[in-house]
């Protein structure tokens, strides 16, 4: 009997302790939320207070770290009847309390302009001594696919395997791709093999009927994007003709180079030959004779011949001719014969009889040209 009474007292004490705290979180909504980037979300956290909760009210929202080694990040805070909404810089200006006065039992927050970095586990902790309660929620921010890029890989020729690719650089996994033909029969080629996860479609042994317009759609749980590709399957090129044309072009280039080299060598040899002929002609030409030396030799020789033909009896007559006692100057020698001074006619007539009387012998002096040579 005493044991039963003691157990009853313990049960009453435990019930009284639970009622004494009074603080409870009453939100019963989903604890996992998926949203697309750019959207807004409300994280619900409603609570009630008991008459025994007399301490100051503190509300704290934290983004829990996935690594136990790192600290949790406080996102928003309410303490001392004041809200601190710009507490976390990455969410500055994007996070606010849902109620203007959280003391009324609404500790919920609104987060706008969601980013992929906002994903994580959030904890709402309400403290009012002596009660403390908390609630956790998982937020997954999904990014819809970015506009994919469509292109054909490899040569788009008949008889070849053509691979069509569709790739979206951004987007939350898992992501799926689907292909469809939007022109002609709107049916994919019979030999086409599609990979929904990789975003490729392989058209084996492609034919001209595979040409047309294709559309690829990339999708995940929060959105879709698409791209358009026009495929033109061309006939195979004329390989032998291309090779023959390339060979002919190379030969023509070689011939042109050979002609240019031949012309250059020929012009060079001709110039060298002309230079050698010019040098030979210059070596064969004798140096010009001096007029002064020729004139002097002629004058001395003529004087000697004249003196040799004279006898002692006519030497005084020769001495009377002053014009033959000196060597003519270069100016006198260069003067034309028509300008040479002539002896007076009376002197010439008187000289011949006088010489004859004195027994002089007439001597014929050979004619000379302008440069002193005997004609």
């Amino acid at each position: 009997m005493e044991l039963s009474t003691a157990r009853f007292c313990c049960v009453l004490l435990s019930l009284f302790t639970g009622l004494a705290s009074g603080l409870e979180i009453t939100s019963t909504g989903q604890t996992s939320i998926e949203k697309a980037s750019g959207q807004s979300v409300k994280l619900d956290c409603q609570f009630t207070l008991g008459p025994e909760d007399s301490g100051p009210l503190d509300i704290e929202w934290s983004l829990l770290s996935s690594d136990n080694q790192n600290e949790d990040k406080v996102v928003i805070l309410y303490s001392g009847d004041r809200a601190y909404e710009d507490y976390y810089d990455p969410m500055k200006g994007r996070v606010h309390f849902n109620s203007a006065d959280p003391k009324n039992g609404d500790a919920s927050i609104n987060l706008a302009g969601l980013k992929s970095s906002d994903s994580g586990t959030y904890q709402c902790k309400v403290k009012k001594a002596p009660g403390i309660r908390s609630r956790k929620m998982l937020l997954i921010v999904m990014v819809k696919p970015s506009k994919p890029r469509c292109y054909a890989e490899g040569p788009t020729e008949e008889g070849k395997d053509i691979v069509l690719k569709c790739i979206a650089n951004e987007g939350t996994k898992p992501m799926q791709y689907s292909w469809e033909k939007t022109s002609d029969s709107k049916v994919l080629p019979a030999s086409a093999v599609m990979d929904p996860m990789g975003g490729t479609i392989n058209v084996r042994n492609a034919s001209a009927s595979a040409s047309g317009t294709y559309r690829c759609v990339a999708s995940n749980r929060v959105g879709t994007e698409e791209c358009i590709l026009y495929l033109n399957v061309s006939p195979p090129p004329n390989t032998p003709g291309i090779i023959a044309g390339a060979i002919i072009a190379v030969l023509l280039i070689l011939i042109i180079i050979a002609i240019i080299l031949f012309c250059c060598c020929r012009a060079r040899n001709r110039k060298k030959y002309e230079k050698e002929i010019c040098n030979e002609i210059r070596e064969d030409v004798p140096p010009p004779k001096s007029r002064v030396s020729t004139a002097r030799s002629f004058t001395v020789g003529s004087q000697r011949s004249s003196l040799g033909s004279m006898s002692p009896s006519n030497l005084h007559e020769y001495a009377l001719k002053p014009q033959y006692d000196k060597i003519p100057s270069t100016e006198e020698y260069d003067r034309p014969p028509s300008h040479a001074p002539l002896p007076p006619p009376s002197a010439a007539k008187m000289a011949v009889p006088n010489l004859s009387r004195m027994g002089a012998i007439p001597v014929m002096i050979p004619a000379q040209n302008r440069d002193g040579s005997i004609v």
Side-chain angles (χ1 to χ4, degrees):
M1 187 68 180
E2 292 178 358
L3 182 60
S4 299
T5 303
R7 288 180 178 178
F8 180 74
C9 291
C10 290
V11 171
L12 291 177
L13 181 60
S14 62
L15 291 174
F16 178 77
T17 304
L19 292 174
S21 62
L23 177 60
E24 292 291 341
I25 293 179
T26 59
S27 296
T28 57
Q30 57 182 351
T31 57
S32 180
I33 301 175
E34 292 182 356
K35 288 289 183 178
S37 61
Q39 295 182 347
S40 300
V41 66
K42 177 183 178 182
L43 302 181
D44 191 43
C45 184
Q46 305 288 335
F47 65 94
T48 58
L49 299 174
E52 293 81 7
D53 299 323
S54 57
L57 177 64
D58 290 332
I59 302 173
E60 180 182 286
W61 279 90
S62 301
L63 177 60
L64 303 182
S65 175
S66 58
D67 188 358
N68 294 330
Q69 301 296 328
N70 297 327
E71 296 182 356
D72 300 337
K73 300 172 184 178
V74 178
V75 174
I76 192 170
L77 183 66
Y78 180 87
S79 179
D81 296 335
R82 180 182 175 184
Y84 299 89
E85 296 183 342
D86 295 335
Y87 198 82
Y88 184 50
D89 288 338
M91 294 183 182
K92 187 175 181 179
R94 297 192 296 121
V95 60
H96 307 280
F97 279 104
N98 185 60
S99 175
D101 191 2
K103 291 188 297 182
N104 296 329
D106 186 7
S108 304
I109 60 173
N110 295 318
L111 183 59
L114 292 175
K115 301 178 181 179
S116 58
S117 58
D118 296 337
S119 299
T121 301
Y122 290 81
Q123 177 178 266
C124 172
K125 183 184 291 185
V126 180
K127 296 185 293 184
K128 190 171 178 63
I132 298 176
R133 293 290 184 269
S134 63
R135 183 175 188 254
K136 295 181 181 179
M137 301 180 65
L138 176 62
L139 174 63
I140 301 174
V141 180
M142 303 183 67
V143 179
K144 76 173 187 176
S146 61
K147 188 173 183 61
R149 184 170 65 94
C150 298
Y151 62 96
E153 187 177 56
T156 56
E157 302 173 0
E158 292 183 2
K160 301 287 186 179
D161 292 344
I162 301 176
V163 179
L164 306 182
K165 287 192 172 184
C166 178
I167 299 176
N169 295 327
E170 297 180 0
T172 301
K173 309 297 182 184
M175 193 180 303
Q176 291 187 347
Y177 299 89
S178 61
W179 283 90
E180 62 177 345
K181 190 176 182 182
T182 59
S183 62
D184 301 333
S185 61
K186 299 184 179 180
V187 177
L188 293 176
S191 60
V193 179
M194 185 167 53
D195 181 7
M197 303 303 294
T200 62
I201 179 172
N202 189 359
V203 182
R204 298 177 180 177
N205 193 17
S207 61
S209 60
S211 300
T213 305
Y214 292 79
R215 179 173 62 186
C216 171
V217 179
S219 61
N220 59 9
R221 288 183 288 178
V222 292
T224 61
E225 284 290 345
E226 64 181 35
C227 61
I228 303 297
L229 170 67
Y230 179 75
L231 177 64
N232 182 22
V233 181
S234 59
N238 185 9
T239 306
I242 294 175
I243 295 175
I247 293 175
I248 292 174
V250 172
L251 291 177
L252 289 176
I253 293 173
L254 292 177
I255 291 173
I256 293 172
I257 293 175
I259 292 173
I260 294 173
L261 292 176
F262 175 75
C263 294
C264 293
C265 293
R266 187 174 180 181
R268 184 178 180 183
N269 292 334
R270 180 180 298 175
K271 186 176 181 180
K272 183 178 180 181
Y273 176 75
E274 292 177 353
K275 186 176 181 181
E276 292 177 354
I277 292 298
C278 184
N279 292 335
E280 291 178 0
I281 293 174
R282 291 179 179 177
E283 291 176 359
D284 294 341
V285 175
K289 296 181 179 180
S290 173
R291 292 182 177 182
V292 176
S293 61
T294 304
R296 289 180 179 179
S297 61
F298 166 74
T299 306
V300 174
S302 60
Q303 287 181 353
R304 287 179 181 178
S305 62
S306 300
L307 292 174
S309 60
M310 291 183 179
S311 60
S313 60
N314 57 10
L315 288 176
H316 65 279
E317 294 291 341
Y318 182 78
L320 297 175
K321 300 177 181 179
Q323 62 272 20
Y324 299 103
D325 293 342
K326 61 178 179 179
I327 298 173
S329 64
T330 305
E331 295 180 357
E332 294 176 355
Y333 177 76
D334 291 338
R335 184 180 305 167
S338 60
H339 296 166
L342 297 176
S346 58
K349 291 180 181 181
M350 294 175 63
V352 174
N354 293 332
L355 291 175
S356 299
R357 291 192 198 101
M358 296 174 68
I361 300 172
V363 178
M364 183 180 290
I365 300 175
Q368 299 177 356
N369 57 12
R370 184 177 179 181
D371 58 356
S373 300
I374 299 173
V375 178

